[in-house]
């Protein structure tokens, strides 16, 4: 659509039999919650990594591609370094 420029982040989880596949872009997270064996407490296990400028590997990837991280933001604006559909 004309004038559209915003992007989005996403997370995908696909269960195939007993195998769970997880993918993400941006700061969307996939977290597995389960009850602890000896109590009713829930345990959280992150299954993905947020793509933020604070991650050294992401900063290096962005700078190698000609981008700039300033004050923890991509090109002074974005708080994520990966997204879908963002024109900038």
């Amino acid at each position: 659509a004309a004038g559209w420029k915003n992007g989005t982040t996403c997370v995908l989880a696909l269960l195939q039999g007993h195998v769970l596949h997880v993918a993400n872009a941006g700061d969307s997270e996939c977290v597995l919650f389960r009850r602890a064996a000896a109590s009713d407490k829930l345990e959280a296990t992150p299954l993905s990594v947020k793509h933020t400028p604070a991650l050294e590997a992401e900063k290096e990837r962005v700078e190698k591609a000609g981008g700039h991280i300033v004050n923890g933001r991509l090109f002074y604006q974005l708080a994520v370094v990966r997204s879908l559909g963002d024109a900038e």
Side-chain angles (χ1 to χ4, degrees):
W4 183 84
K5 69 173 193 158
N6 294 329
T8 190
T9 64
C10 70
V11 65
L12 170 79
L14 173 65
L15 183 61
Q16 288 185 305
H18 295 289
V19 178
L20 179 63
H21 303 274
V22 175
N24 71 305
D27 59 357
S28 294
E29 286 185 279
C30 185
V31 180
L32 173 69
F33 287 92
R34 59 181 157 206
R35 295 213 182 275
S39 71
D40 280 341
K41 289 185 178 181
L42 288 177
E43 295 177 338
T45 304
L47 301 179
S48 61
V49 175
K50 293 184 195 180
H51 300 113
T52 66
L55 291 175
E56 191 61 34
E58 289 298 300
K59 182 179 179 184
E60 290 175 12
R61 185 184 65 80
V62 166
E63 290 174 348
K64 186 176 180 181
H68 302 285
I69 307 277
V70 179
N71 294 329
R73 296 200 171 261
L74 178 62
F75 292 114
Y76 300 94
Q77 295 180 27
L78 300 173
V80 297
V81 291
R82 295 184 192 221
S83 66
L84 302 174
D86 194 310
E88 294 182 20

